[in-house]
Amino acid sequence: MKISLVRLSTKDLATLAQRIINNIQSGKYPVISNDPLTATLQTYYNEYDSVYTK
């Protein structure tokens, strides 16, 4: 197994956060729907998105 480390751009991190939020909202994984970490992720993503879309 080969592991490589690369830098993630802000756009890549935002895409990852959006995918996680989509999975939370889909209802497929009820374990993560009430997790405080995912709630925090949604809060910070909404702040980022409001600034990014200006």
Side-chain angles (χ1 to χ4, degrees):
M1 183 166 123
K2 186 176 182 179
I3 298 173
S4 63
L5 301 175
V6 295
R7 287 190 164 205
L8 292 176
S9 68
T10 305
K11 185 177 179 181
D12 291 335
L13 288 174
T15 302
L16 177 61
Q18 183 60 45
R19 288 181 181 181
I20 293 169
I21 291 168
N22 288 341
N23 281 331
I24 294 165
Q25 294 173 345
S26 72
K28 289 182 182 179
Y29 309 102
V31 174
I32 61 173
S33 63
N34 294 324
D35 189 78
L37 180 61
T38 57
T40 304
L41 177 66
Q42 288 178 343
T43 302
Y44 282 113
Y45 179 77
N46 290 337
E47 290 178 15
Y48 166 80
D49 194 44
S50 68
V51 171
Y52 183 74
T53 56
K54 281 187 176 180

